[in-house]
């Protein structure tokens, strides 16, 4: 029997072959708590960042090559949340939100997406490691949730009918749990025929969409319910549902001291001196994990080369 811990921090992929559909299920627990623990976020910001992390895992886990990265970035024009970032790389997740606490308090306990972001935009970026290519789509933050905005991205940028459902829960005295479902309709790709991915009214897509819409938020976030059981409940009447082995998810801030030292060491000595405080220490602040890394000026090689273009 699976323990609740065995159903958390996982991404499971599936394909419904006869319906030309594929998808992902993700559920976060301890990983989510580890990301949130770096900041004392109010409940509304916690829910929003948790949803963004689930969305990053849903989309990022579709990357097939190792080293690929998926980044979500929401920016606003004078919104309560001025910046929201979540990214996925090799199963590692990190995220951060910058917001105005005073304005957030004025919105009440359950603000809308528009209340949080105003006229904001969501950028979804795929960085492919093997080719170095970058694909980015930018869509308005419209609808009731980040999931709605992501669905609009696939409709507008990819022309792929998609359904995304995300739910969060944080019971008193318990950790935060967030989970999501991504379901997409794939093209047949037969020459001379209309491609399925431009037809949202195709009966095959309508069929799997109706089944997926029966998924309840309490099922998604139930740590006692394995993700594979959810798939069986939704699609067990289909002829063939292929389920991939669950992929583990982890917190991965990537703020490694050696890497930071290497990057700062590429700047000329006079520029490093300008970065340092009166005590001769450069403090590098990681917004993701809320840590400051102190680097003493005299610890650098003064002959270090200048930074390469795009170093980060």
């Amino acid at each position: 029997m699976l323990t609740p811990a065995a159903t958390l921090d996982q991404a499971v992929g599936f394909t419904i072959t006869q319906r030309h559909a594929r998808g992902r299920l993700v559920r976060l627990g301890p990983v989510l708590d580890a990301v949130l623990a770096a900041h004392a976020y109010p409940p509304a910001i916690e829910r929003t960042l948790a949803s963004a992390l689930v969305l990053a895992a849903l989309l990022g886990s579709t990357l097939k090559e190792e080293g690929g990265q998926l980044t979500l970035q929401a920016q606003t024009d004078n919104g309560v949340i001025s910046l929201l970032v979540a990214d996925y790389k090799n199963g590692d997740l990190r995220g951060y939100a910058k917001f105005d606490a005073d304005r957030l308090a004025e919105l009440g306990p359950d603000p809308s997406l528009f209340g949080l972001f105003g006229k904001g935009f969501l950028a979804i970026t795929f960085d492919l490691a093997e080719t170095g290519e970058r694909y980015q789509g930018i869509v308005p933050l419209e609808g009731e949730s980040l999931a709605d905005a992501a669905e609009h991205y696939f409709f507008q940028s990819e022309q792929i009918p998609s359904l995304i459902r995300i739910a969060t829960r944080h019971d008193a005295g318990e950790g935060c749990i967030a989970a999501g479902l991504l379901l997409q309709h794939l093209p047949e790709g037969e020459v001379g025929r209309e491609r399925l991915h431009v037809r949202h009214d195709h009966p095959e897509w309508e069929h799997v969409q109706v089944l997926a819409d029966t998924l309840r938020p309490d099922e998604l976030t139930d740590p006692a319910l394995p993700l594979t059981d959810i798939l069986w409940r939704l699609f067990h009447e289909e002829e063939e549902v292929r389920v991939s082995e669950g992929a583990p998810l982890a917190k991965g801030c990537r703020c490694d001291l050696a890497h930071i030292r290497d990057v700062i060491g590429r700047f000329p000595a006079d520029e490093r001196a300008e970065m340092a405080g009166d005590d001769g220490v450069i403090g590098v602040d990681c917004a993701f994990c809320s840590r400051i890394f102190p680097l003493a000026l005299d610890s650098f090689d003064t002959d270090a080369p200048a930074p390469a273009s795009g170093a980060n």
Side-chain angles (χ1 to χ4, degrees):
M1 179 178 179
L2 288 173
T3 63
T7 73
L8 298 172
D9 300 332
Q10 283 192 56
V12 172
F14 62 94
T15 303
I16 308 173
T17 55
Q18 299 302 315
R19 302 291 182 180
H20 303 281
R22 69 177 180 187
R24 287 286 190 280
L25 274 171
V26 163
R27 186 183 288 142
L28 300 177
V31 166
L32 180 57
D33 286 333
V35 173
L36 297 174
H39 306 271
Y41 289 122
I45 304 299
E46 179 184 273
R47 292 193 298 269
T48 305
L49 181 55
S51 296
L53 288 164
V54 168
L55 184 56
L58 285 171
L59 303 184
S61 62
T62 64
L63 292 168
K64 297 179 180 180
E65 62 181 41
E66 186 175 352
Q69 182 171 335
L70 178 282
T71 303
L72 303 176
Q73 183 168 324
Q75 289 186 300
T76 66
D77 182 10
N78 198 34
V80 170
I81 296 179
S82 56
L83 177 65
L84 177 75
V85 181
D87 74 24
Y88 170 101
K89 185 176 183 179
N90 294 337
D92 289 345
L93 291 165
R94 63 178 182 174
Y96 169 71
K98 183 179 180 181
F99 64 97
D100 187 320
D102 293 334
R103 293 176 59 196
L104 176 66
E106 297 173 357
L107 297 179
D110 192 22
S112 66
L113 189 73
F114 181 80
L116 291 172
F117 291 101
K119 293 183 179 180
F121 293 86
L122 178 67
I124 301 177
T125 306
F126 291 88
D127 287 294
L128 306 184
E130 290 185 2
T131 63
E133 293 177 287
R134 167 175 287 193
Y135 300 95
Q136 184 179 73
I138 300 177
V139 293
L141 277 167
E142 297 176 343
E144 298 183 0
S145 65
L146 291 175
D148 288 345
E151 284 186 6
H152 184 60
Y153 160 79
F154 282 109
F155 172 74
Q156 174 180 291
S157 301
E158 305 292 335
Q159 294 186 323
I160 300 176
S162 302
L163 178 146
I164 301 175
R165 297 291 181 265
I166 297 175
T168 65
R169 64 186 288 180
H170 195 164
D171 300 332
E174 301 291 337
C176 188
I177 295 176
L181 166 70
L182 166 66
L183 182 67
Q184 296 182 311
H185 203 203
L186 302 178
E188 285 181 315
E190 295 182 16
V191 177
R193 294 185 56 186
E194 182 180 12
R195 290 170 63 85
L196 290 178
H197 72 268
V198 298
R199 291 193 50 194
H200 286 251
D201 61 345
H202 194 283
E204 288 186 350
W205 171 241
E206 290 181 346
H207 175 77
V208 293
Q209 188 177 31
V210 166
L211 294 178
D213 265 331
T214 67
L215 180 61
R216 304 188 309 270
D218 62 295
E219 290 178 295
L220 261 178
T221 57
D222 183 356
L225 182 62
L227 298 179
T228 50
D229 285 10
I230 290 178
L231 291 176
W232 185 89
R233 204 274 286 169
L234 293 176
F235 305 118
H236 67 276
E237 294 183 357
E238 300 303 314
E239 291 185 20
E240 184 180 13
V241 180
R242 299 177 182 176
V243 181
S244 67
E245 184 177 351
L249 300 169
K251 174 182 178 292
C253 187
R254 306 197 293 277
C255 54
D256 177 76
L257 181 59
H259 172 70
I260 294 172
R261 180 185 297 278
D262 177 66
V263 171
I264 298 299
R266 297 178 187 178
F267 286 84
D270 58 341
E271 293 187 22
R272 292 200 301 269
E274 293 177 2
M275 300 177 193
D278 295 337
D279 58 357
V281 174
I282 301 172
V284 180
D285 183 6
C286 175
F288 288 100
C289 64
S290 192
R291 294 175 60 193
I292 296 178
F293 294 85
L295 299 169
L297 275 179
D298 58 13
S299 67
F300 290 98
D301 177 5
T302 57
D303 296 324
S309 175
N312 54 50

